[in-house]
Amino acid sequence: MQPPIAIPIVGAAVALLVHLVGNPHYGFIRDELYFIICGRHPQFGYVDQPPLIPLLAASTQIFGHSLLALRTISAICAAACVYLSCLLVREFDGGAFAEILAATAALLAPVLMAFGMVVAPDSINLWTWPLLMLLVLRIAKGGDPRLWLAAGAVAGVAGNAKYSVAFLGAALVAGLLLAPQRRALATPWFAAGAALAAAMLLPNVLWQAMHGFPMLELLHNGQLGKNVVLSPLEFIVSQWAILGPLPALLALAGLVRLFAHRASRWLGYAFVLLFAMMIALHGKNNYPAFAYPAAFAAGGAAVESWARPIRGGARLAVQTAIVVIFALLTLPLVPIVLPVLSEAQYVAYSGILQRAGLLPAPTEHHRSAVLGQTYADMHGWPRLAATVTAVYRSLPAGERAEAAIVASNYGEASAILFFGPPDLPPVLSGHNQFFLWGTRGASGNVIIDVNGDCGAPERLFRSSRQAATFRDPYVMPYENDLPITVCTGITRPLSELWPSLKNFR
């Protein structure tokens, strides 16, 4: 019997409410500030991302600073993920219990809840990946081949948020080729869908080509030192931590179910191929996470079928107990991915989880902060902007007239632009997209250097003085105790120095 349509709607509504209440705390994360600033300069692409998220992020701030407005984007994406998880259950012939179990996992799995909290390119993947898998599942089961056009459109949207959808697309096609369902590819509608996706991605590809494919340089640099490279075993084991124990078990049950049924075995192949590509290319362990709603759906259907021999009210009691236990044992991980505790409470609570081995390993090489990187990056930015503004306004009138601000990374630069007053001088950085925006006409003769030393080893300036120090107990260590230095009397034109400041990573 088909489960009631209300379950996906109620599940999505609960997810939306949870995220609307839990998301807008602490403050804007550095990447969110960067997206907003990029979106204020609309382009078909940026050094480190396609155009969709910057444009969406900037649009939420038209009427003033609003963390709630911004993170409503990610809340909606999280709700769509839960809704689609329920629809995926129906493709595996699951009922109401399977839908509720899959929806609970899609809502509470830490990695998915985290991407539903902050606005990032991955936020879009919360719904585009499950929707793409849903469409291909329906096609593989003999559905209307014209659905390939819808799949192409979804892939095009996903690719304009994050390029990683290419790996999902390749895995799905390869999985079909390895199974009898390959016949689903033997239609002109598949070619039409692929062409539609390519057409939607073409402007961004051309932008990358015109700028020498900076994204490839950035990815290469990240693998050289920024990102933690996991062994194949470490990558697989780490899924336990980012999913949480019970969602991980449900996903594993789903994979078993996929391989056990001839009609869905091709999707099991696709999962294996997706993980193999991510491991071979040294991707972060959370990159394939957006495929898990399909595994949760298959797992929910599997658990439901295992409970089917239980008769009458006993079955309902068992199913209810499973969902309640699942939720209660997964809820303790929520404060790790939703900022619902005060800073002091979080420090104490995360210490307990750390000792229990329930916190995921870091994905980047940085000395840890007391709040962890994600929460640390939500702190200090308004104060940094105020500190830099005070230094600028303390300059003599002659120096203010020719000053520029140089920040060491896009987080600092974006925060100064976002939280600083409109009369600040040009804010520059060699980091990612800021490098392509160049010197903005600044001579460089007077520089307010944020987290720099005025190029001391090369003696780029005739004089320098430290005007302030930025401190915050909750920021990342490399953002704490930042010197704010005033550099005057540049010895070489800033335009000549600019190429050496490029930092794509």
Side-chain angles (χ1 to χ4, degrees), residues 395-479:
L395 297 177
E399 291 186 356
R400 284 201 306 271
E402 55 180 339
I405 299 168
V406 175
S408 67
N409 60 59
Y410 66 62
E412 297 162 0
S414 299
I416 295 166
L417 282 168
F418 186 73
F419 291 112
D423 62 341
L424 284 180
V427 179
L428 316 177
S429 178
H431 194 197
N432 292 6
Q433 188 63 29
F434 277 89
F435 174 78
L436 291 190
W437 290 332
T439 64
R440 306 212 174 174
S443 68
N445 199 47
V446 178
I447 292 292
I448 300 174
D449 196 353
V450 180
N451 197 16
D453 57 7
C454 297
E458 292 82 16
R459 306 182 74 86
L460 297 178
F461 293 87
R462 295 186 181 90
S463 65
S464 65
R465 67 181 187 278
Q466 184 168 333
T469 301
F470 166 74
R471 292 188 177 92
D472 190 292
Y474 292 120
V475 301
M476 289 295 289
Y478 60 83
E479 296 288 8

Side-chain angles (χ1 to χ4, degrees), residues 117-200:
M117 185 266 289
V118 299
V119 170
D122 290 307
S123 303
I124 298 298
N125 288 343
L126 281 171
W127 66 269
T128 53
W129 281 42
L131 181 54
L132 185 58
M133 298 174 86
L134 175 67
L135 291 168
V136 178
L137 266 167
R138 289 180 174 174
I139 295 168
K141 291 172 67 175
D144 190 336
R146 288 176 294 183
L147 287 175
W148 281 119
L149 285 176
V154 172
V157 171
N160 275 296
K162 190 162 184 174
Y163 303 116
S164 57
V165 71
F167 297 104
L168 175 64
L172 292 175
V173 171
L176 288 171
L177 288 172
L178 292 172
Q181 287 80 6
R182 67 179 67 89
R183 63 183 179 274
L185 300 172
T187 169
W189 292 109
F190 170 70
L196 176 59
M200 294 174 67

Side-chain angles (χ1 to χ4, degrees), residues 2 5-6 9 28 73 92 176 184 202 241 267 281 296 313 316 372 390 410 453:
Q2 189 82 331
I5 191 62
I9 295 173
F28 293 86
I73 295 174
F92 300 116
L176 288 171
L202 182 60
L267 187 54
L281 295 172
F296 294 153
L316 179 60
Y410 66 62
D453 57 7

Side-chain angles (χ1 to χ4, degrees), residues 191-236:
L196 176 59
M200 294 174 67
L201 296 172
L202 182 60
N204 179 248
V205 173
L206 293 176
W207 186 95
Q208 284 281 332
M210 289 172 59
H211 293 84
F213 291 100
M215 187 68 188
L216 297 180
E217 181 179 345
L218 180 143
L219 291 173
H220 175 71
N221 291 340
Q223 290 183 351
L224 290 179
K226 177 184 176 183
N227 298 336
V228 175
V229 177
L230 301 176
S231 69
L233 180 59
E234 289 172 331
F235 190 98
I236 293 170

Side-chain angles (χ1 to χ4, degrees), residues 1 9 26 72 109 145 149 155 193 212 258 260 286-287 300-301 358 421 433 449 459 472 500:
M1 186 175 72
I9 295 173
Y26 292 165
T72 296
L149 285 176
L258 291 178
N286 56 27
Y287 282 1
L358 294 175
Q433 188 63 29
D449 196 353
R459 306 182 74 86
D472 190 292
S500 67

